[in-house]
Amino acid sequence: MSTRADPPLPHAASFRLEQDRDRLVLRAEHLPNYAPIGVDWASDDIRRRIRGGKRQLLGRAVGLHKYPQTSIVDATAGLGRDAYVLASLGAELTLLERCEQTAALLADALQRVPDDPAISRMRLFATEAVVWLHAHPATADVVLIDPMYPHSGKQALAKKEMQVLRALSGGDEDADALLPAALACATRRVVVKRPLKAPPLANATPNFRIMGSQARYDIYLPARGSTET
């Protein structure tokens, strides 16, 4: 396996939102050989995940196989792929995204297909997740957190899309603060996606885990008496 690090990004990183036919895209002007990034919820991979149903790994992690109409806050929405899959399976999704450009891509995607039933179950807030979560205590069944894992310089070369998003957002070095805020907001569980060998978020031991072949979901139960397992 390759252990090449991501190529160093220029200090003068420059990003531009532009219209590309029917959708908004983000172009990394300092990386002219990289394709622009846009939100695509009609991809084969997304459709495959939706066909996997509520008992797929993510669906089980958020408890969708038990509670089909679960309300979920995606605290690290990114390009909204997990949120769209969950909304397509019947959940109500609140998307939080603090990066202005990424939030603009999400807003564009939500406007492009207004008749999609999944879209009607999604709402977006361009905001700092920690602030929003603290301002909305005990208002969602589940809070989902999927932070960027800190880049060590020893990882295999990341996908170009991830390189651009990491450079755009600066990574999620403050992700540990999300866990207590999420526990204050969630009434049923907090779900944190982590690489298999990564330490738990904020070094907090989860109540239980759901393991996959490439990642795991750490499940935390709020202290207000939840007995879920």
Side-chain angles (χ1 to χ4, degrees):
M1 178 181 293
S2 170
T3 56
R4 292 178 299 159
D6 290 353
L9 292 166
H11 292 297
S14 176
F15 303 92
R16 183 179 77 248
L17 290 169
E18 61 183 40
Q19 200 69 29
D20 182 11
R21 288 172 288 184
D22 64 337
R23 66 173 185 165
L24 190 68
V25 298
L26 176 72
R27 187 176 297 278
E29 295 180 302
H30 57 288
L31 298 170
N33 295 326
Y34 283 31
I37 295 172
V39 173
D40 179 11
W41 293 332
S43 68
D44 291 342
D45 179 62
I46 293 290
R47 298 302 170 191
R48 175 189 58 78
R49 293 178 62 192
I50 293 171
R51 289 195 300 271
K54 298 171 184 176
R55 296 198 67 86
Q56 64 179 288
L57 199 64
L58 176 61
R60 288 191 290 116
V62 301
L64 203 57
H65 60 303
K66 295 181 180 179
Y67 307 98
Q69 295 179 320
T70 296
S71 62
I72 302 171
V73 174
D74 186 345
T76 51
L79 296 179
R81 293 176 182 131
D82 285 349
Y84 183 81
V85 169
L86 292 169
S88 296
L89 296 174
E92 298 287 333
L93 266 293
T94 298
L95 287 71
L96 308 181
E97 177 53 53
R98 65 180 174 180
C99 177
E100 180 181 352
Q101 294 95 328
T102 308
L105 296 178
L106 289 170
D108 174 71
L110 290 170
Q111 294 169 3
R112 283 203 310 266
V113 196
D115 296 332
D116 184 335
I119 297 296
S120 68
R121 291 191 286 272
M122 300 169 70
R123 58 177 184 162
L124 169 67
F125 293 91
T127 185
E128 284 281 351
V130 170
V131 174
W132 194 96
L133 293 168
H134 277 306
H136 296 80
T139 54
D141 296 323
V142 176
V143 175
L144 174 64
I145 305 172
D146 182 9
M148 292 185 186
Y149 188 55
H151 183 59
S152 66
K154 299 180 181 179
Q155 299 159 316
L157 186 66
K159 292 181 179 179
K160 290 182 178 180
E161 179 185 274
M162 183 56 66
Q163 293 177 36
V164 172
L165 293 178
R166 190 192 303 275
L168 177 67
S169 67
D172 290 324
E173 300 294 336
D174 55 350
D176 285 353
L178 283 171
L179 185 57
L183 286 167
C185 178
T187 61
R188 191 174 295 155
R189 61 173 67 176
V190 173
V191 178
V192 183
K193 184 178 180 180
R194 301 295 280 165
L196 284 176
K197 296 182 179 180
L201 195 63
N203 289 318
T205 303
N207 292 86
F208 61 100
R209 286 174 168 153
I210 296 178
M211 306 297 293
S213 59
Q214 297 181 329
R216 71 174 194 267
Y217 290 94
D218 292 348
I219 315 297
Y220 298 85
L221 305 181
R224 47 180 77 87
S226 174
T227 58
E228 273 204 290
T229 58

